[in-house]
Amino acid sequence: MVSTNTLCKKLLNVKSAVVEGCDFYSDQDGVNHIRIHARPNRWHEDDCPFCHKRCKRYDKKNPHPRIWRGLDWGGTLVDVSYDTHRIECPEHGVVVADVPWAYPNSGFTKDFDLTVGWLAVYLPRSVVSEYMRIDWETVGRCVHRTLNVIEPERSKRLDNLVNIGIDETSYKKGHKYITVIVNHDTNTVVWAAQGHGKTVLESFYRQLSEEQLASIKVVTGDGAKWITDCVNEFTPDCERCVDQFHVVQWAMETLDEVRRDVWREAYNEAQQLAKEHPRKPGRPKKSNPETAILRDAKAKAEKIKNSAYALGKAAENLTEKQRLRVEMIAESNDRLYRAYRMKEMLRLLLKLKDVEEAKTTLQRWLWWASHSRIPAFKELYKKIKRHKAHILNAIRLGMSNARIEATNNKIKLIVRKAYGFRNIQNMLDMVYLVCSDLRVPLPNRKPMRAKSA
């Protein structure tokens, strides 16, 4: 028959520890507890918790035992009790001596921290907090320890980078952003930091060694000047690519600007007609030509107002109703229809595989936009011309920011599940943990394979 001490030691999942006994008690709320009295093995009771070297004892044992929370046994809360003492490490100074059942500076057992980390990956933080019977903010500290245990050297993510994507994403109202860098080859986040702009991105590049900088061959991103400036400064030999999605987004925003201008003109025209032909008392006659003109003007303005979705949609995916609306615009407003055709031409040329054909088509598009007599598209012409080489690089290399946009969606889901973050470091820890191939080990489980990229 297994002794009580051996049973407690097995359930704590520790080897280099000695269990001296246990007792049961109920707290003031009537919750049952089991308290295990344990200590490290004599050979390891003066070990440093960080370097695990045996060190000189600094003081005597604490007369007030320290308590660690363990994983519940059924519905019973588990406590581990030990009279701790401090040691003096030549490298880490005066610290509390290591205990085999807990990580440094933790008030929980190792299995407890890892379980909380695993649950936090898949569940909202409030649910984890309630289920594990810990504070909401404590979940973040457990996740931080879990990440440091399974990936103690996060800087290794920066080795052998070849194709990377750079983007910023908002995590909170009030223009609160984080900058995220993704390795296209592994589909993992290699670096993330609070804020955005050249200063933040420079901090990433400055921590790279000469060898790491030389390995980067392709950088994708939007057309932000601060990305281009950093690429030119730190990795001038790599290929800078502007993502096709962002180029189409620029065209969509420009088209919508033209649509709003055309709608305002149509709306003002309808308002002017209403003033010139005020409604007379009594029921209007259906055959009245003035009433018909006014009605048609209002209908035209309304159709232009509601055409944003049809104009923004790809021509091959239009429904019958949307196609008729585009045809109506083609017949009634040449300027808006030309803007729509320029958007479609730009969208289609970005799908070309032959870079020479794309280069010729893009040159034709630039000429058309510069001679379009549409101010908004003339501004877009200047923007596309500035990034012409970067757009062609993306077509030639077949690179896009699709992976990093998917990562941004994951980050927004992380924020949503947690109902926001007060501590930015907690959020960054979750980003590193979720947007990677890391697996959080659960106690007494067969090791699982890493997630595929």
Side-chain angles (χ1 to χ4, degrees), residues 125 140 143 147 169-172 176-180 192-195 411-412 414-416 418 420-435:
R125 181 170 293 196
V143 169
L147 179 62
T169 184
S170 63
Y171 68 92
K172 195 176 182 180
K176 302 292 184 180
Y177 293 93
I178 60 171
T179 299
V180 180
Q194 184 180 15
I411 293 173
K412 292 185 184 300
I414 291 170
V415 175
R416 178 67 187 87
F421 286 88
R422 295 190 184 95
N423 188 327
I424 185 65
Q425 187 58 49
N426 288 346
M427 189 187 71
L428 294 177
D429 290 337
M430 285 297 297
V431 169
Y432 282 121
L433 193 59
V434 175
C435 304

Side-chain angles (χ1 to χ4, degrees), residues 338-346 365 368-369 372 377:
R338 278 189 290 117
Y340 167 74
R341 288 175 56 204
M342 281 190 284
K343 183 270 296 184
E344 280 296 294
M345 182 179 178
L346 185 61
W365 185 93
W368 190 12
S372 64
F377 269 87

Side-chain angles (χ1 to χ4, degrees), residues 327-426:
E327 290 178 357
M328 180 275 295
I329 291 174
E331 295 173 359
S332 61
N333 197 290
D334 177 66
R335 177 163 47 121
L336 182 55
Y337 186 62
R338 278 189 290 117
Y340 167 74
R341 288 175 56 204
M342 281 190 284
K343 183 270 296 184
E344 280 296 294
M345 182 179 178
L346 185 61
R347 180 182 68 85
L348 292 173
L349 77 85
L350 293 172
K351 292 186 175 183
L352 296 174
K353 302 299 182 183
D354 186 347
V355 68
E356 290 301 323
E357 183 183 358
K359 184 177 181 180
T360 304
T361 308
L362 182 57
Q363 194 61 40
R364 289 205 332 261
W365 185 93
L366 289 170
W367 184 92
W368 190 12
S370 63
H371 293 75
S372 64
R373 303 188 307 279
I374 303 176
F377 269 87
K378 286 186 177 182
E379 291 300 318
L380 180 61
Y381 152 78
K382 297 176 183 177
K383 194 171 187 178
I384 298 292
K385 188 177 180 180
R386 285 198 304 270
H387 298 288
K388 178 182 175 181
H390 302 155
I391 294 171
L392 293 174
N393 285 343
I395 295 174
R396 176 169 53 84
L397 298 170
M399 300 295 295
S400 73
N401 252 23
R403 290 185 183 276
I404 197 167
E405 293 298 335
T407 299
N408 288 343
N409 288 335
K410 285 185 181 180
I411 293 173
K412 292 185 184 300
L413 180 59
I414 291 170
V415 175
R416 178 67 187 87
K417 284 198 304 182
Y419 294 92
F421 286 88
R422 295 190 184 95
N423 188 327
I424 185 65
Q425 187 58 49
N426 288 346

Side-chain angles (χ1 to χ4, degrees), residues 147-166:
L147 179 62
N148 289 338
V149 167
I150 62 179
E151 192 181 32
E153 296 184 27
R154 205 162 307 130
S155 60
K156 288 186 177 181
R157 296 192 185 201
L158 304 178
D159 294 337
N160 304 317
L161 295 178
V162 179
N163 305 308
I164 63 173
I166 303 173

Side-chain angles (χ1 to χ4, degrees), residues 77-177:
L77 269 72
V78 177
D79 303 330
V80 183
S81 172
Y82 172 57
D83 301 331
T84 58
H85 64 278
R86 293 182 294 176
I87 52 95
E88 187 174 6
C89 177
E91 182 179 354
H92 300 98
V94 178
V95 293
V96 176
D98 183 40
V99 291
W101 55 82
Y103 297 120
N105 302 320
S106 175
F108 306 94
T109 63
K110 294 179 179 179
D111 288 349
F112 190 98
D113 277 333
L114 292 174
T115 301
V116 171
W118 187 90
L119 291 172
V121 171
Y122 302 101
L123 298 175
R125 181 170 293 196
S126 57
V127 175
V128 179
S129 173
E130 181 177 359
Y131 180 75
M132 299 302 291
R133 294 191 262 200
I134 56 178
D135 185 72
W136 191 89
E137 294 183 355
T138 304
V139 176
R141 292 189 283 271
C142 291
V143 169
H144 182 73
R145 285 190 290 269
T146 298
L147 179 62
N148 289 338
V149 167
I150 62 179
E151 192 181 32
E153 296 184 27
R154 205 162 307 130
S155 60
K156 288 186 177 181
R157 296 192 185 201
L158 304 178
D159 294 337
N160 304 317
L161 295 178
V162 179
N163 305 308
I164 63 173
I166 303 173
D167 200 6
E168 75 275 0
T169 184
S170 63
Y171 68 92
K172 195 176 182 180
K173 291 182 178 179
H175 298 286
K176 302 292 184 180
Y177 293 93

